[in-house]
Amino acid sequence: MTALDLNSPVAVVGTGTMGQGIAQVALVAGHPVRLFDAAPGRAAEAAAAIVSRLDRLVEKGRLPAADRDAARDRLTAADTLSDLAGCGLVVEAIVERLDVKQQLFRDLEEVVGEECLLATNTSSLSVTAIGGALRLPGRFVGLHFFNPAPLMPLVEIVSGFATDAEAAGRALETARAWGKSPVSCADQPGFVVNRIARPFYAEAFELYETGAADPATIDAVLRESGGFRMGAFELTDLIGQDVNEAVTRSVWKSFFQDVRFRPSLAQRRLVESGRLGRKSGHGWYPYADGVERPEPRTAGPEEAPGHVTLLGELGPAAGLVELIREAGIEVRTEDDSFAEEEKGRLVLPGGGTLVLADGETVGEYGPDLVSFDLALDYRTATRIALAAAPVTAPDTLAEAVGLFQALGKKVSVIGDVPGMIVARTVARIIDLAFDAVARGVAAEEDVDTAMRLGVNYPLGPFEWSRRLGHDWAYGVLDAVHEREPSGRCAPSLASLRHAFAAAK
């Protein structure tokens, strides 16, 4: 399959932020580009804005002046749809309304040739439904860019039910020729990124709604322990609460109100109050000048224990043992007294125990247990979350806090929720990834690429699964579901199959 020839004009319909960004990508790649917008004068304004951005790239030394001049000469503002005749690709980036998009493509079919590739940049509507209005739906494909399009490397190439393999392949190779990292996916709600990313937001909001922790603490743990670039609350403030909530609601409705994608009531109230995030000056956090942002809950200093006793293996947290020794704390072992089926643990001098979050709660085991959260890398993590129940003995909690502080970590103590923060979030992301692949949405490699490049996850879901153990996510979610039997965290059949296959 070959990419669209550079001599073939590319048209972009819709000249908002995404439309301008897509046009700039095609223009810099070397295509003649034609801009069209239904609002009079808007296309000319967009063309001028694109040239201004190219000027800034020249000033920063990122684009030669000659290339800017050539690109400017290839850019045209179209007055009517008929001016798009002869284009090899038309990309639509207009309002997210099915009827409006369908009518646009009906009109385009009357203008462009039968070899012209037609594409939508929709992020929430069905590619199949938009293309269903066409006389030749086989040439219709989703080209889902991420904002800002000139900077974000990911493009989802979405095949509708009627999309021809040749059309999808040509779209993919064209995106690759434009310097992007395209992934192929089927037309299912949310495609890859917006489908699999839902738990990152949903689990954070659920933890907040149940009183386990405040937004600042949850965000800090996701960043400093989970390795995510931003926490869920600050990220949705950046995206816009209305935008993020609309995507969540769209995916939820498209899946016939599947509880796994249920929107957050707290976020709905935020939107209803007009607190939309940075753009409105207030979201989960305030953004007015002089207003301080809330700090994460951080435990005060505690004395480090003189020793700990290791029973069994700590699995994904095995690296802690070396860190404890490096901190000058003696690690004793008593393997003979440990049953093989028991989960690994660290016994503190006072008799309390530390276990890695696994979907169970602390309170059900009595006053001498504290759970610690998953970390992407315990050596580089700067914060660790501990879970304590109302019955947790203060001395046990103090020893646990002191241990992690001795390793150079800040400690946040949260409420007793199964799976804590990072563990349940990562487990749900992995589970949805297994489910998506099993349903033919995308290949494992494409899922990992999409989540790393589309939302900057530190690891792709399948990379995480290989690191943590192929049955880890299933085990965590199975335990969480037993304690929260709403179905929201129930592991998928795909995860169950994978867990049992890995055990053999």
Side-chain angles (χ1 to χ4, degrees):
M1 208 69 64
T2 58
L4 189 68
D5 188 274
L6 284 180
N7 293 319
S8 185
V10 173
V12 178
V13 179
T15 58
T17 300
M18 284 305 301
Q20 290 184 34
I22 296 167
Q24 181 178 329
V25 170
L27 190 65
V28 171
H31 288 274
V33 173
R34 302 174 189 175
L35 291 172
F36 175 77
D37 198 291
R42 190 74 58 80
E45 293 174 3
I50 292 171
V51 172
S52 294
R53 283 197 291 274
L54 296 181
D55 289 340
R56 289 195 292 273
L57 291 177
V58 172
E59 293 170 3
K60 295 176 181 179
R62 297 178 184 174
L63 183 70
D67 290 353
R68 182 268 320 273
D69 295 342
R72 181 177 55 204
D73 293 341
R74 294 193 302 270
L75 183 60
T76 304
D79 294 324
T80 65
L81 273 185
S82 61
D83 293 333
L84 306 186
C87 286
L89 167 65
V90 180
V91 184
E92 165 271 315
I94 63 173
V95 64
E96 289 286 84
R97 277 184 50 187
L98 179 60
D99 59 335
V100 177
K101 290 180 187 289
Q102 287 177 329
Q103 186 59 55
L104 169 65
F105 283 108
R106 287 193 196 99
D107 295 340
L108 281 169
E109 273 200 311
E110 300 301 317
V111 172
V112 300
E114 292 191 358
E115 296 302 314
C116 179
L117 189 65
L118 298 178
T120 175
N121 184 59
T122 186
S123 61
S124 60
L125 298 177
S126 165
V127 171
T128 301
I130 300 172
L134 296 177
R135 178 173 49 85
L136 298 173
R139 56 149 161 199
F140 187 73
V141 67
L143 268 178
H144 181 215
F145 287 78
F146 288 75
N147 192 33
L151 298 180
M152 294 293 285
L154 182 68
V155 180
E156 292 177 323
I157 311 299
V158 187
S159 292
F161 188 79
T163 301
D164 292 336
E166 190 275 337
R170 188 148 50 102
L172 185 139
E173 292 305 324
T174 298
R176 183 173 285 126
W178 290 357
K180 297 303 182 182
S181 298
V183 298
S184 299
C185 62
D187 181 26
Q188 289 202 26
F191 309 143
V192 177
V193 172
N194 280 331
R195 176 192 185 121
I196 296 174
R198 292 350 294 162
F200 180 73
Y201 313 110
E203 293 312 306
F205 299 159
E206 178 73 9
L207 289 164
Y208 166 71
E209 290 180 8
T210 57
D214 59 280
T217 299
I218 295 169
D219 277 354
V221 172
L222 287 170
R223 286 193 317 270
E224 300 172 39
S225 184
F228 293 94
R229 186 168 297 183
M230 299 181 75
F233 297 92
E234 58 190 344
L235 179 54
T236 53
D237 268 357
L238 178 64
I239 294 169
Q241 297 302 330
D242 52 340
V243 174
N244 181 262
E245 203 256 359
V247 172
T248 298
R249 190 166 293 276
S250 173
V251 172
W252 174 63
K253 288 181 177 178
S254 297
F255 276 113
F256 306 105
Q257 301 186 357
D258 186 331
V259 68
R260 294 177 303 166
F261 302 99
R262 184 182 64 202
S264 160
L265 179 59
Q267 188 181 37
R268 175 95 291 257
R269 293 291 180 259
L270 208 64
V271 173
E272 290 172 339
S273 69
R275 293 189 169 189
L276 306 181
R278 289 179 180 271
K279 62 186 177 183
S280 71
H282 205 303
W284 295 109
Y285 301 108
Y287 296 96
D289 292 341
V291 178
E292 292 187 5
R293 176 169 165 165
E295 292 294 324
R297 188 183 309 159
T298 303
E302 298 288 354
E303 185 176 348
H307 71 271
V308 295
T309 302
L310 173 64
L311 297 180
E313 298 180 356
L314 296 181
L320 276 176
V321 176
E322 183 179 356
L323 296 180
I324 293 170
R325 290 193 174 111
E326 290 175 2
I329 298 172
E330 180 187 1
V331 179
R332 303 173 182 175
T333 57
E334 296 181 6
D335 291 339
D336 292 342
S337 63
F338 187 74
E340 187 175 340
E341 67 273 10
E342 291 185 79
K343 55 189 174 185
R345 64 193 66 193
L346 292 169
V347 181
L348 300 164
T353 58
L354 264 170
V355 297
L356 176 63
D358 60 358
E360 298 179 352
T361 61
V362 175
E364 61 192 282
Y365 291 97
D368 293 326
L369 186 74
V370 172
S371 181
F372 63 94
D373 207 351
L374 180 71
L376 175 68
D377 183 336
Y378 284 98
R379 181 172 292 278
T380 59
T382 58
R383 183 180 297 270
I384 295 293
L386 301 181
V391 298
T392 301
D395 289 346
T396 297
L397 180 58
E399 284 188 320
V401 170
L403 173 64
F404 282 101
Q405 289 175 339
L407 306 185
K409 318 298 183 187
K410 295 178 182 178
V411 177
S412 292
V413 179
I414 69 169
D416 185 16
V417 288
M420 299 189 66
I421 298 173
V422 180
R424 69 188 284 158
T425 299
V426 171
R428 285 210 62 210
I429 290 169
I430 291 173
D431 178 70
L432 283 190
F434 275 123
D435 184 58
V437 169
R439 294 176 184 275
V441 176
E444 288 187 8
E445 182 179 355
D446 280 349
V447 168
D448 278 351
T449 297
M451 302 314 291
R452 282 189 287 100
L453 299 183
V455 279
N456 293 310
Y457 283 4
L459 293 174
F462 294 97
E463 293 173 312
W464 242 318
S465 180
R466 288 189 290 272
R467 177 184 288 197
L468 297 170
H470 290 295
D471 60 346
W472 178 86
Y474 173 80
V476 170
L477 293 181
D478 190 47
V480 172
H481 175 60
E482 183 178 344
R483 289 153 182 81
E484 298 179 7
S486 67
R488 200 175 61 85
C489 290
S492 66
L493 181 59
S495 286
L496 173 64
R497 288 170 177 162
H498 196 80
F500 276 92
K504 296 189 181 297

